[in-house]
Amino acid sequence: MHIRRSAEEIAANRQRYEEHQRKGLEFAPKALPAPSPLPGPLIDEAAVIHAETIPGGWYWSTALKRGESIRIDQGGAFSTVALVAWNAADTSERLNLVDTVKVQWTTALGKGRVIFSDMGRVMFSIVEDSSGAHDCLMGGSTPASNAAKYPNVKTRNTRDNLVLVAGKLGLDRRDIPAVLNLFAPVRIDDAGEFRWRGTLSNSGDYAELRAEMDMMVGFSNCPHPLDPDPVYAPRAVTVTRFQSASPTADDLSRTATAEAVRGFENNALMLA
């Protein structure tokens, strides 16, 4: 159905767009820091809400409140963790990696970046990250990719795991957004091919994501389709949910780019 807009509404939208464009051109993005040091500091026990160990090949989901954080920790061994998220108040709003990449002009997600929803709001701030090697382009494993990679071996895969996550949350497979693969050092070579660059990762990496809205978050702990290990042997990871310290006025994720500033403005409108 075609919606006709008034000349006044069109003019107001154009003015708003031009103002955003002007701010973006005038805004000098802040330089992002080096990866967080290893090993990660201990989390204050008084702040911990829950800690969950996800066995290799399995999945888990949790509610996450605005102002809480999650630390995803590989422990002492390498493992890729796929993550998806939905707005708890309206699950039609979900993690959107296309917008996350597009509005920040980069596929390199690390400390200081934010992760957007499909409504232009910020879902997560990446407040700590020892890796900087995450994949937001390829998606997770499927029965077909696992069958080709591990013939004659019974395995679990990310697509089926997230279908189970969605079902337990009262959602359908069509509600599952594209996944963020944490600890997946995928890069694009000069020929435009996806390549696995294992030297970008450390065994024992961790990432901390601060929730900027109330969410439901799902995880799948399965090998990435490009992981070169020929043996299906995913390691356990730990996800710790804890109360974050309140962000300061100069919080890096909130001020690093003009796009992040606008995203948080949209969050404020939602909460008003």
Side-chain angles (χ1 to χ4, degrees):
M1 182 177 66
H2 180 67
I3 300 176
R4 299 188 65 180
R5 303 188 184 279
S6 68
E8 292 79 7
E9 184 179 4
I10 293 171
N13 287 341
R14 178 177 291 278
Q15 182 180 8
R16 183 169 181 266
Y17 168 77
E18 290 175 350
E19 177 66 14
H20 283 327
Q21 184 183 50
R22 182 186 63 78
K23 287 181 178 179
L25 292 172
E26 293 176 353
F27 194 103
K30 291 184 178 179
L32 297 183
S36 303
L38 285 168
L42 294 176
I43 300 172
D44 183 355
E45 290 186 7
V48 173
I49 299 167
H50 180 76
E52 185 78 15
T53 298
I54 307 176
W58 287 84
Y59 63 91
W60 184 61
S61 65
T62 186
L64 195 64
K65 297 291 187 182
R66 183 170 66 94
E68 296 175 354
S69 288
I70 47 173
R71 178 187 287 187
I72 305 97
D73 196 331
Q74 292 181 329
F78 178 82
S79 191
T80 293
V81 181
L83 178 148
V84 293
W86 300 267
N87 181 339
D90 179 1
T91 54
S92 67
E93 180 176 9
R94 60 202 69 170
L95 178 144
N96 188 305
L97 296 175
V98 172
D99 287 353
T100 295
V101 168
K102 179 175 64 178
V103 302
Q104 295 180 107
W105 300 96
T106 182
T107 61
L109 301 182
K111 184 176 180 178
R113 296 295 183 199
V114 296
I115 301 171
F116 282 90
S117 77
D118 53 9
M119 297 297 290
R121 292 187 273 256
V122 178
M123 301 192 86
F124 293 103
S125 294
I126 306 176
V127 294
E128 297 292 347
D129 176 30
S130 67
S131 170
H134 311 298
D135 167 36
C136 53
L137 298 176
M138 279 202 64
S141 59
T142 65
S145 69
N146 275 10
K149 187 174 178 182
Y150 313 106
N152 304 315
V153 177
K154 185 176 181 180
T155 64
R156 299 182 65 91
N157 67 85
T158 288
R159 189 186 73 178
D160 288 350
N161 277 353
L162 294 180
V163 168
L164 294 171
V165 166
K168 291 183 177 182
L169 295 175
L171 304 173
D172 191 79
R173 65 177 62 209
R174 64 184 177 183
D175 297 310
I176 302 171
V179 304
L180 171 60
N181 287 304
L182 297 169
F183 319 121
V186 175
R187 293 293 184 266
I188 300 175
D189 65 18
D190 292 340
E193 299 287 335
F194 291 108
R195 300 294 182 191
W196 185 270
R197 294 182 57 190
T199 55
L200 298 177
S201 290
N202 311 288
S203 292
D205 275 320
Y206 71 99
E208 288 183 9
L209 311 180
R210 183 178 64 219
E212 305 296 354
M213 63 173 68
D214 292 352
M215 288 180 284
M216 296 187 296
V217 186
F219 306 88
S220 173
N221 180 15
C222 291
H224 189 277
L226 290 187
D227 187 330
D229 190 341
V231 178
Y232 182 87
R235 286 81 168 176
V237 297
T238 301
V239 179
T240 304
R241 177 183 170 195
F242 63 98
Q243 185 62 48
S244 309
S246 297
T248 59
D250 62 347
D251 180 81
L252 178 61
S253 294
R254 291 171 178 254
T255 59
T257 65
E259 293 79 12
V261 171
R262 285 200 295 273
F264 280 104
E265 289 173 351
N266 292 337
N267 282 44
L269 290 173
M270 175 182 67
L271 296 169

